[in-house]
Amino acid sequence: MEKLARVQLATTLPGAKPICLVGTASEEGDMNLAPFSSVTHLGSNPMLIGMVTRPDVVDRHTLRNIIASKSWTLNHLVPEMIHQAHQCSARYPDDVSEFEATGLTPHFIEGFHAPFVEGSPVRYALELEDIIEIPANGTKLIVGKVTFIEIQDSALNEDGELDLVNAGSVASTALDTYFGLKTLAKLAYAKA
Amino acid sequence: MEKLARVQLATTLPGAKPICLVGTASEEGDMNLAPFSSVTHLGSNPMLIGMVTRPDVVDRHTLRNIIASKSWTLNHLVPEMIHQAHQCSARYPDDVSEFEATGLTPHFIEGFHAPFVEGSPVRYALELEDIIEIPANGTKLIVGKVTFIEIQDSALNEDGELDLVNAGSVASTALDTYFGLKTLAKLAYAKA
């Protein structure tokens, strides 16, 4: 199978995925933004979130900053941000901030090292819990504890959960295709 | 924070997620189907897919069958299957097959132990590569190598990737909400 087709097929196989901008900063305060679509819920109490990184590519600034600062942010995308968010996947040199390169605006919260993204309807802060090697192919699962959540009013419903459609939160696949969501069903807890 | 609200918030935080039915069979051939929304791409060559399981809940039949048989299937959902797929999350006793309980139809491929789901537009077979403990909360990352893929013609585009909108593939969040997809953008590889 041709390499590009193989990669495209493999990265679409799981189906629709989340897409978040990961915000980090180096010890010197140099900011980095990178799109990740491997963000997964690992637990609710404590709230743990995992994401997968390949050590050898554009993610490496993100990984280095997370190891050094033990902190990062996850920021949902809305349709208006897609082009700028996508551009954050380009391989910028070390000294270029994706905020400056793409025109996205950083947002800081008192006492937290990593930058959030202005205009993101759902954004949260994570503290490094663990980095787990995946020996099969040298990727790593980065595990973080959610320490702070900021949600636009319209994005939270009365059950205490996110309303992704109202938030305008975008899904993705293959790191090149972006989807809007329409609710098909919300179903009650299933009983045997 | 109230427990249910906390779980709902935590499980919606990543945003829209994939949703697949995981098909397994015990050594005796007893079949099991369970919805998973933690399916993640880990690598393209070899094609590796990860999914997270909690050892203590409904997933346990799935985990036990995967450990015993080293094999499972992942099956995308279309809107017509949502109610039946959701019902597979109920805690049926060991000797009840979710296929029988929900009316979904198993589909077998010569020489492969685990059942596929009839009518799923994208379904693939995995061989167990590794089970990785996540010490932070006792969950496990199940890593599988893709050994066989079956895709309905309409679900594959000319680049060799899945067309999730044409496939009718469904996204989800919080294991109770199901979304249809509409394409917002497909963007070229980003250059610095």
Side-chain angles (χ1 to χ4, degrees), chain B residues 128-163:
Chain B
L128 182 61
E129 185 80 21
D130 208 352
I131 296 179
I132 299 172
E133 304 284 333
I134 302 173
N137 69 349
T139 52
K140 297 166 197 286
L141 178 69
I142 305 174
V143 180
K145 187 160 71 177
V146 177
T147 57
F148 178 85
I149 305 174
E150 199 170 49
I151 301 169
Q152 283 181 6
D153 285 349
S154 62
L156 195 65
N157 78 13
E158 64 274 16
D159 296 338
E161 71 196 11
L162 297 181
D163 184 325

PDB file of all heavy atoms in Angstrom, chain B residues 128-163:
ATOM      1  N   LEU B 128      -4.109  -8.820  19.423  1.00  0.00           N
ATOM      2  CA  LEU B 128      -3.563  -8.205  20.635  1.00  0.00           C
ATOM      3  C   LEU B 128      -2.048  -8.032  20.532  1.00  0.00           C
ATOM      4  O   LEU B 128      -1.320  -8.983  20.256  1.00  0.00           O
ATOM      5  CB  LEU B 128      -3.910  -9.060  21.857  1.00  0.00           C
ATOM      6  CG  LEU B 128      -3.427  -8.502  23.205  1.00  0.00           C
ATOM      7  CD1 LEU B 128      -4.052  -7.145  23.495  1.00  0.00           C
ATOM      8  CD2 LEU B 128      -3.752  -9.477  24.336  1.00  0.00           C
ATOM      9  N   GLU B 129      -1.605  -6.817  20.773  1.00  0.00           N
ATOM     10  CA  GLU B 129      -0.175  -6.510  20.752  1.00  0.00           C
ATOM     11  C   GLU B 129       0.330  -6.333  22.184  1.00  0.00           C
ATOM     12  O   GLU B 129       1.412  -6.773  22.538  1.00  0.00           O
ATOM     13  CB  GLU B 129       0.019  -5.218  19.949  1.00  0.00           C
ATOM     14  CG  GLU B 129       1.424  -4.790  19.708  1.00  0.00           C
ATOM     15  CD  GLU B 129       2.116  -5.532  18.573  1.00  0.00           C
ATOM     16  OE1 GLU B 129       1.416  -6.100  17.705  1.00  0.00           O
ATOM     17  OE2 GLU B 129       3.359  -5.548  18.571  1.00  0.00           O
ATOM     18  N   ASP B 130      -0.480  -5.667  23.028  1.00  0.00           N
ATOM     19  CA  ASP B 130      -0.016  -5.322  24.371  1.00  0.00           C
ATOM     20  C   ASP B 130      -1.194  -4.831  25.214  1.00  0.00           C
ATOM     21  O   ASP B 130      -2.158  -4.283  24.674  1.00  0.00           O
ATOM     22  CB  ASP B 130       1.001  -4.168  24.250  1.00  0.00           C
ATOM     23  CG  ASP B 130       2.031  -4.157  25.372  1.00  0.00           C
ATOM     24  OD1 ASP B 130       1.873  -4.944  26.320  1.00  0.00           O
ATOM     25  OD2 ASP B 130       2.981  -3.362  25.283  1.00  0.00           O
ATOM     26  N   ILE B 131      -1.088  -5.018  26.514  1.00  0.00           N
ATOM     27  CA  ILE B 131      -2.024  -4.372  27.439  1.00  0.00           C
ATOM     28  C   ILE B 131      -1.177  -3.590  28.433  1.00  0.00           C
ATOM     29  O   ILE B 131      -0.343  -4.165  29.140  1.00  0.00           O
ATOM     30  CB  ILE B 131      -2.913  -5.397  28.165  1.00  0.00           C
ATOM     31  CG1 ILE B 131      -3.808  -6.121  27.155  1.00  0.00           C
ATOM     32  CG2 ILE B 131      -3.769  -4.706  29.229  1.00  0.00           C
ATOM     33  CD1 ILE B 131      -4.715  -7.189  27.763  1.00  0.00           C
ATOM     34  N   ILE B 132      -1.373  -2.278  28.449  1.00  0.00           N
ATOM     35  CA  ILE B 132      -0.504  -1.402  29.231  1.00  0.00           C
ATOM     36  C   ILE B 132      -1.285  -0.829  30.407  1.00  0.00           C
ATOM     37  O   ILE B 132      -2.346  -0.220  30.229  1.00  0.00           O
ATOM     38  CB  ILE B 132       0.041  -0.272  28.326  1.00  0.00           C
ATOM     39  CG1 ILE B 132       0.857  -0.890  27.177  1.00  0.00           C
ATOM     40  CG2 ILE B 132       0.871   0.720  29.126  1.00  0.00           C
ATOM     41  CD1 ILE B 132       1.286   0.110  26.130  1.00  0.00           C
ATOM     42  N   GLU B 133      -0.746  -1.021  31.596  1.00  0.00           N
ATOM     43  CA  GLU B 133      -1.396  -0.506  32.802  1.00  0.00           C
ATOM     44  C   GLU B 133      -1.228   1.004  32.883  1.00  0.00           C
ATOM     45  O   GLU B 133      -0.154   1.539  32.577  1.00  0.00           O
ATOM     46  CB  GLU B 133      -0.755  -1.118  34.058  1.00  0.00           C
ATOM     47  CG  GLU B 133      -0.744  -2.631  34.103  1.00  0.00           C
ATOM     48  CD  GLU B 133      -2.113  -3.223  34.451  1.00  0.00           C
ATOM     49  OE1 GLU B 133      -2.899  -2.535  35.137  1.00  0.00           O
ATOM     50  OE2 GLU B 133      -2.377  -4.358  34.019  1.00  0.00           O
ATOM     51  N   ILE B 134      -2.266   1.687  33.314  1.00  0.00           N
ATOM     52  CA  ILE B 134      -2.194   3.122  33.576  1.00  0.00           C
ATOM     53  C   ILE B 134      -2.300   3.276  35.097  1.00  0.00           C
ATOM     54  O   ILE B 134      -3.397   3.259  35.661  1.00  0.00           O
ATOM     55  CB  ILE B 134      -3.316   3.878  32.830  1.00  0.00           C
ATOM     56  CG1 ILE B 134      -3.187   3.606  31.319  1.00  0.00           C
ATOM     57  CG2 ILE B 134      -3.265   5.372  33.136  1.00  0.00           C
ATOM     58  CD1 ILE B 134      -4.311   4.149  30.474  1.00  0.00           C
ATOM     59  N   PRO B 135      -1.135   3.384  35.757  1.00  0.00           N
ATOM     60  CA  PRO B 135      -1.123   3.304  37.229  1.00  0.00           C
ATOM     61  C   PRO B 135      -1.971   4.390  37.901  1.00  0.00           C
ATOM     62  O   PRO B 135      -2.514   4.157  38.982  1.00  0.00           O
ATOM     63  CB  PRO B 135       0.359   3.485  37.598  1.00  0.00           C
ATOM     64  CG  PRO B 135       1.133   3.261  36.337  1.00  0.00           C
ATOM     65  CD  PRO B 135       0.210   3.586  35.205  1.00  0.00           C
ATOM     66  N   ALA B 136      -2.109   5.558  37.265  1.00  0.00           N
ATOM     67  CA  ALA B 136      -2.810   6.671  37.905  1.00  0.00           C
ATOM     68  C   ALA B 136      -4.214   6.292  38.369  1.00  0.00           C
ATOM     69  O   ALA B 136      -4.694   6.810  39.378  1.00  0.00           O
ATOM     70  CB  ALA B 136      -2.873   7.879  36.961  1.00  0.00           C
ATOM     71  N   ASN B 137      -4.902   5.406  37.666  1.00  0.00           N
ATOM     72  CA  ASN B 137      -6.256   5.043  38.105  1.00  0.00           C
ATOM     73  C   ASN B 137      -6.644   3.596  37.787  1.00  0.00           C
ATOM     74  O   ASN B 137      -7.834   3.257  37.823  1.00  0.00           O
ATOM     75  CB  ASN B 137      -7.296   6.018  37.527  1.00  0.00           C
ATOM     76  CG  ASN B 137      -7.452   5.872  36.031  1.00  0.00           C
ATOM     77  OD1 ASN B 137      -6.655   5.200  35.366  1.00  0.00           O
ATOM     78  ND2 ASN B 137      -8.475   6.510  35.489  1.00  0.00           N
ATOM     79  N   GLY B 138      -5.655   2.760  37.465  1.00  0.00           N
ATOM     80  CA  GLY B 138      -5.967   1.343  37.291  1.00  0.00           C
ATOM     81  C   GLY B 138      -6.637   0.985  35.981  1.00  0.00           C
ATOM     82  O   GLY B 138      -7.092  -0.147  35.801  1.00  0.00           O
ATOM     83  N   THR B 139      -6.751   1.940  35.053  1.00  0.00           N
ATOM     84  CA  THR B 139      -7.282   1.593  33.734  1.00  0.00           C
ATOM     85  C   THR B 139      -6.163   0.951  32.904  1.00  0.00           C
ATOM     86  O   THR B 139      -5.009   0.910  33.322  1.00  0.00           O
ATOM     87  CB  THR B 139      -7.849   2.838  33.012  1.00  0.00           C
ATOM     88  OG1 THR B 139      -6.854   3.868  33.010  1.00  0.00           O
ATOM     89  CG2 THR B 139      -9.077   3.365  33.721  1.00  0.00           C
ATOM     90  N   LYS B 140      -6.543   0.435  31.746  1.00  0.00           N
ATOM     91  CA  LYS B 140      -5.569  -0.239  30.890  1.00  0.00           C
ATOM     92  C   LYS B 140      -5.728   0.254  29.458  1.00  0.00           C
ATOM     93  O   LYS B 140      -6.853   0.458  28.993  1.00  0.00           O
ATOM     94  CB  LYS B 140      -5.807  -1.755  30.900  1.00  0.00           C
ATOM     95  CG  LYS B 140      -5.628  -2.424  32.254  1.00  0.00           C
ATOM     96  CD  LYS B 140      -6.213  -3.832  32.219  1.00  0.00           C
ATOM     97  CE  LYS B 140      -6.450  -4.382  33.610  1.00  0.00           C
ATOM     98  NZ  LYS B 140      -5.234  -4.774  34.307  1.00  0.00           N
ATOM     99  N   LEU B 141      -4.604   0.391  28.787  1.00  0.00           N
ATOM    100  CA  LEU B 141      -4.626   0.694  27.356  1.00  0.00           C
ATOM    101  C   LEU B 141      -4.396  -0.612  26.607  1.00  0.00           C
ATOM    102  O   LEU B 141      -3.337  -1.229  26.723  1.00  0.00           O
ATOM    103  CB  LEU B 141      -3.527   1.708  27.008  1.00  0.00           C
ATOM    104  CG  LEU B 141      -3.404   2.077  25.530  1.00  0.00           C
ATOM    105  CD1 LEU B 141      -4.606   2.903  25.063  1.00  0.00           C
ATOM    106  CD2 LEU B 141      -2.111   2.857  25.265  1.00  0.00           C
ATOM    107  N   ILE B 142      -5.415  -1.033  25.850  1.00  0.00           N
ATOM    108  CA  ILE B 142      -5.308  -2.254  25.047  1.00  0.00           C
ATOM    109  C   ILE B 142      -4.791  -1.851  23.666  1.00  0.00           C
ATOM    110  O   ILE B 142      -5.395  -1.014  23.004  1.00  0.00           O
ATOM    111  CB  ILE B 142      -6.683  -2.936  24.899  1.00  0.00           C
ATOM    112  CG1 ILE B 142      -7.297  -3.204  26.275  1.00  0.00           C
ATOM    113  CG2 ILE B 142      -6.562  -4.221  24.095  1.00  0.00           C
ATOM    114  CD1 ILE B 142      -8.727  -3.744  26.203  1.00  0.00           C
ATOM    115  N   VAL B 143      -3.668  -2.427  23.260  1.00  0.00           N
ATOM    116  CA  VAL B 143      -3.055  -2.061  21.976  1.00  0.00           C
ATOM    117  C   VAL B 143      -3.227  -3.222  21.002  1.00  0.00           C
ATOM    118  O   VAL B 143      -2.863  -4.363  21.308  1.00  0.00           O
ATOM    119  CB  VAL B 143      -1.555  -1.747  22.150  1.00  0.00           C
ATOM    120  CG1 VAL B 143      -0.923  -1.379  20.808  1.00  0.00           C
ATOM    121  CG2 VAL B 143      -1.361  -0.626  23.164  1.00  0.00           C
ATOM    122  N   GLY B 144      -3.785  -2.942  19.832  1.00  0.00           N
ATOM    123  CA  GLY B 144      -4.009  -3.986  18.833  1.00  0.00           C
ATOM    124  C   GLY B 144      -3.432  -3.620  17.483  1.00  0.00           C
ATOM    125  O   GLY B 144      -3.356  -2.446  17.125  1.00  0.00           O
ATOM    126  N   LYS B 145      -3.038  -4.649  16.758  1.00  0.00           N
ATOM    127  CA  LYS B 145      -2.551  -4.468  15.385  1.00  0.00           C
ATOM    128  C   LYS B 145      -3.695  -4.807  14.438  1.00  0.00           C
ATOM    129  O   LYS B 145      -4.338  -5.852  14.572  1.00  0.00           O
ATOM    130  CB  LYS B 145      -1.357  -5.394  15.142  1.00  0.00           C
ATOM    131  CG  LYS B 145      -0.683  -5.173  13.812  1.00  0.00           C
ATOM    132  CD  LYS B 145       0.722  -5.723  13.798  1.00  0.00           C
ATOM    133  CE  LYS B 145       0.684  -7.246  13.787  1.00  0.00           C
ATOM    134  NZ  LYS B 145       2.018  -7.837  13.709  1.00  0.00           N
ATOM    135  N   VAL B 146      -3.947  -3.915  13.479  1.00  0.00           N
ATOM    136  CA  VAL B 146      -5.026  -4.133  12.518  1.00  0.00           C
ATOM    137  C   VAL B 146      -4.589  -5.215  11.532  1.00  0.00           C
ATOM    138  O   VAL B 146      -3.544  -5.092  10.886  1.00  0.00           O
ATOM    139  CB  VAL B 146      -5.352  -2.827  11.761  1.00  0.00           C
ATOM    140  CG1 VAL B 146      -6.429  -3.060  10.710  1.00  0.00           C
ATOM    141  CG2 VAL B 146      -5.770  -1.730  12.734  1.00  0.00           C
ATOM    142  N   THR B 147      -5.378  -6.281  11.430  1.00  0.00           N
ATOM    143  CA  THR B 147      -4.983  -7.386  10.552  1.00  0.00           C
ATOM    144  C   THR B 147      -5.892  -7.522   9.343  1.00  0.00           C
ATOM    145  O   THR B 147      -5.561  -8.214   8.387  1.00  0.00           O
ATOM    146  CB  THR B 147      -5.018  -8.725  11.317  1.00  0.00           C
ATOM    147  OG1 THR B 147      -6.319  -8.915  11.857  1.00  0.00           O
ATOM    148  CG2 THR B 147      -3.985  -8.723  12.437  1.00  0.00           C
ATOM    149  N   PHE B 148      -7.043  -6.855   9.372  1.00  0.00           N
ATOM    150  CA  PHE B 148      -8.016  -7.045   8.301  1.00  0.00           C
ATOM    151  C   PHE B 148      -8.996  -5.884   8.370  1.00  0.00           C
ATOM    152  O   PHE B 148      -9.439  -5.508   9.452  1.00  0.00           O
ATOM    153  CB  PHE B 148      -8.747  -8.376   8.525  1.00  0.00           C
ATOM    154  CG  PHE B 148      -9.805  -8.659   7.514  1.00  0.00           C
ATOM    155  CD1 PHE B 148      -9.479  -9.255   6.310  1.00  0.00           C
ATOM    156  CD2 PHE B 148     -11.133  -8.320   7.755  1.00  0.00           C
ATOM    157  CE1 PHE B 148     -10.464  -9.512   5.356  1.00  0.00           C
ATOM    158  CE2 PHE B 148     -12.113  -8.573   6.807  1.00  0.00           C
ATOM    159  CZ  PHE B 148     -11.768  -9.181   5.613  1.00  0.00           C
ATOM    160  N   ILE B 149      -9.323  -5.300   7.214  1.00  0.00           N
ATOM    161  CA  ILE B 149     -10.259  -4.168   7.173  1.00  0.00           C
ATOM    162  C   ILE B 149     -11.321  -4.446   6.119  1.00  0.00           C
ATOM    163  O   ILE B 149     -10.989  -4.867   5.014  1.00  0.00           O
ATOM    164  CB  ILE B 149      -9.536  -2.850   6.801  1.00  0.00           C
ATOM    165  CG1 ILE B 149      -8.371  -2.570   7.746  1.00  0.00           C
ATOM    166  CG2 ILE B 149     -10.500  -1.678   6.783  1.00  0.00           C
ATOM    167  CD1 ILE B 149      -7.527  -1.347   7.351  1.00  0.00           C
ATOM    168  N   GLU B 150     -12.578  -4.186   6.459  1.00  0.00           N
ATOM    169  CA  GLU B 150     -13.660  -4.316   5.481  1.00  0.00           C
ATOM    170  C   GLU B 150     -14.437  -3.006   5.470  1.00  0.00           C
ATOM    171  O   GLU B 150     -14.938  -2.570   6.508  1.00  0.00           O
ATOM    172  CB  GLU B 150     -14.566  -5.496   5.863  1.00  0.00           C
ATOM    173  CG  GLU B 150     -15.401  -5.988   4.711  1.00  0.00           C
ATOM    174  CD  GLU B 150     -16.105  -7.305   5.049  1.00  0.00           C
ATOM    175  OE1 GLU B 150     -16.727  -7.389   6.127  1.00  0.00           O
ATOM    176  OE2 GLU B 150     -16.032  -8.234   4.245  1.00  0.00           O
ATOM    177  N   ILE B 151     -14.512  -2.402   4.299  1.00  0.00           N
ATOM    178  CA  ILE B 151     -15.113  -1.068   4.180  1.00  0.00           C
ATOM    179  C   ILE B 151     -16.145  -1.081   3.060  1.00  0.00           C
ATOM    180  O   ILE B 151     -15.857  -1.552   1.958  1.00  0.00           O
ATOM    181  CB  ILE B 151     -14.017  -0.023   3.839  1.00  0.00           C
ATOM    182  CG1 ILE B 151     -12.939  -0.013   4.928  1.00  0.00           C
ATOM    183  CG2 ILE B 151     -14.620   1.361   3.668  1.00  0.00           C
ATOM    184  CD1 ILE B 151     -11.695   0.781   4.546  1.00  0.00           C
ATOM    185  N   GLN B 152     -17.341  -0.570   3.340  1.00  0.00           N
ATOM    186  CA  GLN B 152     -18.345  -0.433   2.270  1.00  0.00           C
ATOM    187  C   GLN B 152     -17.814   0.544   1.224  1.00  0.00           C
ATOM    188  O   GLN B 152     -17.196   1.555   1.568  1.00  0.00           O
ATOM    189  CB  GLN B 152     -19.663   0.099   2.836  1.00  0.00           C
ATOM    190  CG  GLN B 152     -20.465  -0.973   3.571  1.00  0.00           C
ATOM    191  CD  GLN B 152     -21.780  -0.445   4.116  1.00  0.00           C
ATOM    192  OE1 GLN B 152     -22.156   0.700   3.852  1.00  0.00           O
ATOM    193  NE2 GLN B 152     -22.460  -1.265   4.891  1.00  0.00           N
ATOM    194  N   ASP B 153     -18.087   0.265  -0.050  1.00  0.00           N
ATOM    195  CA  ASP B 153     -17.556   1.091  -1.148  1.00  0.00           C
ATOM    196  C   ASP B 153     -17.762   2.586  -0.910  1.00  0.00           C
ATOM    197  O   ASP B 153     -16.858   3.386  -1.102  1.00  0.00           O
ATOM    198  CB  ASP B 153     -18.232   0.714  -2.469  1.00  0.00           C
ATOM    199  CG  ASP B 153     -17.689  -0.612  -2.995  1.00  0.00           C
ATOM    200  OD1 ASP B 153     -16.669  -1.086  -2.450  1.00  0.00           O
ATOM    201  OD2 ASP B 153     -18.290  -1.160  -3.936  1.00  0.00           O
ATOM    202  N   SER B 154     -18.947   2.957  -0.467  1.00  0.00           N
ATOM    203  CA  SER B 154     -19.270   4.377  -0.315  1.00  0.00           C
ATOM    204  C   SER B 154     -18.434   5.038   0.778  1.00  0.00           C
ATOM    205  O   SER B 154     -18.335   6.258   0.847  1.00  0.00           O
ATOM    206  CB  SER B 154     -20.746   4.537   0.038  1.00  0.00           C
ATOM    207  OG  SER B 154     -21.000   3.900   1.278  1.00  0.00           O
ATOM    208  N   ALA B 155     -17.818   4.238   1.650  1.00  0.00           N
ATOM    209  CA  ALA B 155     -17.110   4.789   2.805  1.00  0.00           C
ATOM    210  C   ALA B 155     -15.637   5.067   2.531  1.00  0.00           C
ATOM    211  O   ALA B 155     -14.931   5.602   3.391  1.00  0.00           O
ATOM    212  CB  ALA B 155     -17.240   3.842   3.995  1.00  0.00           C
ATOM    213  N   LEU B 156     -15.159   4.723   1.336  1.00  0.00           N
ATOM    214  CA  LEU B 156     -13.738   4.898   1.011  1.00  0.00           C
ATOM    215  C   LEU B 156     -13.613   5.923  -0.103  1.00  0.00           C
ATOM    216  O   LEU B 156     -14.266   5.803  -1.137  1.00  0.00           O
ATOM    217  CB  LEU B 156     -13.152   3.551   0.561  1.00  0.00           C
ATOM    218  CG  LEU B 156     -11.630   3.435   0.524  1.00  0.00           C
ATOM    219  CD1 LEU B 156     -11.042   3.554   1.928  1.00  0.00           C
ATOM    220  CD2 LEU B 156     -11.233   2.099  -0.096  1.00  0.00           C
ATOM    221  N   ASN B 157     -12.769   6.936   0.077  1.00  0.00           N
ATOM    222  CA  ASN B 157     -12.616   7.906  -1.017  1.00  0.00           C
ATOM    223  C   ASN B 157     -11.349   7.637  -1.825  1.00  0.00           C
ATOM    224  O   ASN B 157     -10.589   6.707  -1.533  1.00  0.00           O
ATOM    225  CB  ASN B 157     -12.715   9.344  -0.497  1.00  0.00           C
ATOM    226  CG  ASN B 157     -11.448   9.803   0.181  1.00  0.00           C
ATOM    227  OD1 ASN B 157     -10.404   9.175   0.073  1.00  0.00           O
ATOM    228  ND2 ASN B 157     -11.538  10.898   0.896  1.00  0.00           N
ATOM    229  N   GLU B 158     -11.119   8.463  -2.835  1.00  0.00           N
ATOM    230  CA  GLU B 158     -10.042   8.151  -3.790  1.00  0.00           C
ATOM    231  C   GLU B 158      -8.632   8.316  -3.200  1.00  0.00           C
ATOM    232  O   GLU B 158      -7.677   7.773  -3.742  1.00  0.00           O
ATOM    233  CB  GLU B 158     -10.196   8.992  -5.075  1.00  0.00           C
ATOM    234  CG  GLU B 158     -10.066  10.493  -4.881  1.00  0.00           C
ATOM    235  CD  GLU B 158     -11.396  11.164  -4.491  1.00  0.00           C
ATOM    236  OE1 GLU B 158     -12.356  10.464  -4.082  1.00  0.00           O
ATOM    237  OE2 GLU B 158     -11.463  12.396  -4.587  1.00  0.00           O
ATOM    238  N   ASP B 159      -8.506   9.018  -2.058  1.00  0.00           N
ATOM    239  CA  ASP B 159      -7.189   9.139  -1.415  1.00  0.00           C
ATOM    240  C   ASP B 159      -6.854   7.911  -0.565  1.00  0.00           C
ATOM    241  O   ASP B 159      -5.792   7.858   0.060  1.00  0.00           O
ATOM    242  CB  ASP B 159      -7.138  10.370  -0.489  1.00  0.00           C
ATOM    243  CG  ASP B 159      -7.307  11.672  -1.264  1.00  0.00           C
ATOM    244  OD1 ASP B 159      -7.055  11.674  -2.477  1.00  0.00           O
ATOM    245  OD2 ASP B 159      -7.707  12.663  -0.631  1.00  0.00           O
ATOM    246  N   GLY B 160      -7.760   6.970  -0.498  1.00  0.00           N
ATOM    247  CA  GLY B 160      -7.495   5.771   0.306  1.00  0.00           C
ATOM    248  C   GLY B 160      -7.925   5.935   1.754  1.00  0.00           C
ATOM    249  O   GLY B 160      -7.632   5.102   2.599  1.00  0.00           O
ATOM    250  N   GLU B 161      -8.599   7.025   2.051  1.00  0.00           N
ATOM    251  CA  GLU B 161      -9.028   7.240   3.424  1.00  0.00           C
ATOM    252  C   GLU B 161     -10.540   7.050   3.540  1.00  0.00           C
ATOM    253  O   GLU B 161     -11.256   7.049   2.528  1.00  0.00           O
ATOM    254  CB  GLU B 161      -8.638   8.637   3.904  1.00  0.00           C
ATOM    255  CG  GLU B 161      -9.440   9.726   3.249  1.00  0.00           C
ATOM    256  CD  GLU B 161      -8.827  11.104   3.415  1.00  0.00           C
ATOM    257  OE1 GLU B 161      -7.679  11.229   3.849  1.00  0.00           O
ATOM    258  OE2 GLU B 161      -9.529  12.065   3.081  1.00  0.00           O
ATOM    259  N   LEU B 162     -10.993   6.920   4.768  1.00  0.00           N
ATOM    260  CA  LEU B 162     -12.423   6.783   4.991  1.00  0.00           C
ATOM    261  C   LEU B 162     -13.123   8.116   4.768  1.00  0.00           C
ATOM    262  O   LEU B 162     -12.631   9.163   5.184  1.00  0.00           O
ATOM    263  CB  LEU B 162     -12.690   6.330   6.428  1.00  0.00           C
ATOM    264  CG  LEU B 162     -12.137   4.971   6.804  1.00  0.00           C
ATOM    265  CD1 LEU B 162     -12.513   4.655   8.248  1.00  0.00           C
ATOM    266  CD2 LEU B 162     -12.656   3.896   5.864  1.00  0.00           C
ATOM    267  N   ASP B 163     -14.282   8.059   4.131  1.00  0.00           N
ATOM    268  CA  ASP B 163     -15.178   9.209   4.064  1.00  0.00           C
ATOM    269  C   ASP B 163     -16.255   8.974   5.114  1.00  0.00           C
ATOM    270  O   ASP B 163     -17.232   8.262   4.876  1.00  0.00           O
ATOM    271  CB  ASP B 163     -15.772   9.320   2.660  1.00  0.00           C
ATOM    272  CG  ASP B 163     -16.632  10.567   2.512  1.00  0.00           C
ATOM    273  OD1 ASP B 163     -17.307  10.945   3.502  1.00  0.00           O
ATOM    274  OD2 ASP B 163     -16.613  11.164   1.433  1.00  0.00           O
TER     275      ASP B 163
END
